[in-house]
Amino acid sequence: MKKMSDPELDELRISSEPAFQGRMLKVFVDKAKLPNGRTSTREVVRHPGAAAVLAVLADGRILLEKQYRYALGTVMYEIPAGKLDPGEEPEHCARRELAEETGYEADRWEYLTAIATTPGFTDEVIHLYKATGLHQHGQHLDEDETLKLEAFTMEEIRAAVRDGRLYDAKSLAALGAASLLGRL
């Protein structure tokens, strides 16, 4: 992911104080110097990053997971994804998550892009991959995961987007990136 700078827009961190630390997230309250010389408070959620996989079966259908998302209080459709372990490369994470959550391994991997999920308050970046040449070996979910797998045709994906069943940002970004890059 390319970092950019513009002296008329850049902000400089003056201080950073931890406010909360959980199993996955850390929240900091920072003081920042603005380009106009003033200072402001920035609340930042630090996240280790993640990888997500657009898994395409031999017949062209796309694997989606259906799982309950506590924060939103609803069941959602999403592509397989998971957070990076310390020091883990994004592609390794993508391969691990595909195997654990879906029971599939892939012969071919393509890097699509990286997305900044919500840059207004978190540093989370998700690396998006496309996986093909899938073969099933057996799912092995984490003890706190419960999900169902469903395979969708592209027309079913479009219908799910139209009727509001598919609205997960990483999934839409992966589908969009693959389409824009001519890989779908």
Side-chain angles (χ1 to χ4, degrees), residues 29-104:
V29 177
D30 291 4
K31 292 280 187 227
K33 183 176 179 183
L34 307 180
N36 64 9
R38 293 185 175 141
T39 60
S40 185
T41 300
R42 301 289 188 236
E43 296 170 350
V44 181
V45 176
R46 302 272 182 224
H47 187 281
V53 184
L54 184 64
V56 183
L57 296 166
D59 64 7
R61 291 180 302 149
I62 294 170
L63 282 178
L64 293 179
E65 299 176 353
K66 187 178 182 183
Q67 63 182 317
Y68 185 82
R69 288 305 196 176
Y70 184 84
L72 290 176
T74 189
V75 170
M76 295 182 68
Y77 284 107
E78 304 173 42
I79 61 174
K83 73 175 186 64
L84 295 169
D85 287 337
E88 184 177 34
E89 291 297 319
E91 185 175 322
H92 183 270
C93 177
R95 290 175 182 269
R96 176 176 51 77
E97 291 295 333
L98 180 67
E100 288 176 3
E101 294 182 358
T102 71
Y104 282 91

Side-chain angles (χ1 to χ4, degrees), residues 59-153:
D59 64 7
R61 291 180 302 149
I62 294 170
L63 282 178
L64 293 179
E65 299 176 353
K66 187 178 182 183
Q67 63 182 317
Y68 185 82
R69 288 305 196 176
Y70 184 84
L72 290 176
T74 189
V75 170
M76 295 182 68
Y77 284 107
E78 304 173 42
I79 61 174
K83 73 175 186 64
L84 295 169
D85 287 337
E88 184 177 34
E89 291 297 319
E91 185 175 322
H92 183 270
C93 177
R95 290 175 182 269
R96 176 176 51 77
E97 291 295 333
L98 180 67
E100 288 176 3
E101 294 182 358
T102 71
Y104 282 91
E105 291 182 354
D107 293 329
R108 290 176 298 287
W109 288 86
E110 297 175 68
Y111 185 76
L112 296 172
T113 193
I115 58 170
T117 59
T118 44
F121 67 87
T122 183
D123 63 357
E124 180 186 30
V125 171
I126 301 178
H127 299 270
L128 304 175
Y129 292 85
K130 178 183 172 189
T132 55
L134 301 179
H135 42 95
Q136 202 164 22
H137 63 79
Q139 194 178 39
H140 47 284
L141 298 171
D142 292 338
E143 63 184 37
D144 63 348
E145 285 181 310
T146 306
L147 58 87
K148 294 179 181 178
L149 290 177
E150 294 184 27
F152 285 69
T153 65

